[in-house]
Amino acid sequence: MPSASANYRTLLRTSGAAAFFLPAAVGRLGIAMTGIGIVWLVHARTGSYAAAGLVTGGFAVADAVAGPQFERLVDRFGQARVLPCALGAHAEAVALLLSGAVPDLVAGVLTWGSLPL
């Protein structure tokens, strides 16, 4: 049975695969901690795990709605044109969440809905 690293090496040798994979991998680095980070932030702000769960649920729904739309934009216009816009929108949404300028649920939905997957 071949090792996982051998499979990745074979895959990345495919024409164009590395150019697509490397920026995507960098863009996904923060995804693993986004959910738990939002739970901690909202709980610290409100003292309620229920509110934190509501915000986390809101951004999960936003992912289900916005994810396919984002991917359609990438397919139509290309990753190089769409990713900078998505990163800018995501940075603004995170700033709104951190500042508390809008309700946490709204900021959570915007944060996940603008996450470039």
Side-chain angles (χ1 to χ4, degrees):
M1 182 168 158
S3 70
S5 63
N7 289 338
Y8 274 109
R9 279 193 300 271
T10 302
L11 177 65
L12 291 175
R13 286 188 189 122
T14 304
S15 177
F20 176 79
F21 173 77
L22 295 175
V26 170
R28 289 183 174 99
L29 285 176
I31 293 173
M33 290 303 295
T34 301
I36 192 69
I38 288 177
V39 168
W40 287 342
L41 175 71
V42 174
H43 177 261
R45 188 177 293 154
T46 65
S48 168
Y49 281 110
L54 181 64
V55 173
T56 304
F59 77 69
V61 170
D63 177 40
V65 172
Q69 308 312 317
F70 176 75
E71 296 307 323
R72 283 188 184 118
L73 289 173
V74 170
D75 288 344
R76 174 178 259 170
F77 299 109
Q79 188 177 19
R81 287 181 59 194
V82 175
L83 191 59
C85 297
L87 288 174
H90 183 66
E92 289 180 29
V94 169
L96 285 173
L97 181 64
L98 293 175
S99 71
V102 298
D104 289 333
L105 180 58
V106 172
V109 168
L110 291 174
T111 299
W112 199 257
S114 63
L115 187 66
L117 299 171

